[in-house]
Amino acid sequence: MAKSFEITKVSVRGRLVVDAKVSMNDPQDFDFSPRASLSGSILSLINDSGKPSSTFELDAEQVTTAERDRMVELRVKFNVQGMHGVLTQKTLNPKTGPKSKKLAEPSWKTILPLSM
């Protein structure tokens, strides 16, 4: 289950885009089902189980876009606190070289219907 849920940024890029940070209790925990709702100019995101939740006040352009599309694009960055411990040896720059690869990032992107 999600421990905390925070909306970090809301922007308009053709549709309403919401960036959020979610802290999970356990790396094997998959209980995250977000729901979005709009009442007035307040956007609320809540996990399906009821806790945790986060709200954000939208400006006029963002409200108009949300009412027009009736959906939001949710981009989530996941975090599990205490999972890796303390790093003792650092690689100088792991992304250099002709065959370098980007390290995996725990992120997720989806389209949520917006209930009004």
Side-chain angles (χ1 to χ4, degrees), residues 4 8 12 19 23 25-26 28 31 37 44 47 69 73 82 88 95 110:
S4 67
T8 55
V12 175
D19 293 335
S23 294
N25 287 328
D26 186 300
Q28 297 299 316
D31 184 21
S37 65
S44 299
N47 198 11
D69 295 340
E73 180 179 325
T88 56
K95 295 187 288 185
T110 188

Side-chain angles (χ1 to χ4, degrees), residues 74-95:
L74 180 65
R75 298 190 298 182
V76 179
K77 291 197 179 192
F78 289 101
N79 183 18
V80 180
Q81 293 181 340
M83 181 173 144
H84 299 297
V86 178
L87 188 63
T88 56
Q89 295 177 350
K90 282 178 115 176
T91 306
L92 296 176
N93 191 355
K95 295 187 288 185

Side-chain angles (χ1 to χ4, degrees), residues 57-84:
E57 187 167 353
L58 304 177
D59 64 14
E61 179 188 4
Q62 293 169 340
V63 170
T64 305
T65 305
E67 288 175 345
R68 180 193 69 205
D69 295 340
R70 295 189 178 263
M71 66 178 176
V72 296
E73 180 179 325
L74 180 65
R75 298 190 298 182
V76 179
K77 291 197 179 192
F78 289 101
N79 183 18
V80 180
Q81 293 181 340
M83 181 173 144
H84 299 297

Side-chain angles (χ1 to χ4, degrees), residues 92-110:
L92 296 176
N93 191 355
K95 295 187 288 185
T96 59
K99 295 184 179 182
S100 63
K101 295 185 179 177
K102 186 177 177 185
L103 298 174
E105 294 179 353
S107 60
W108 186 53
K109 183 165 59 169
T110 188

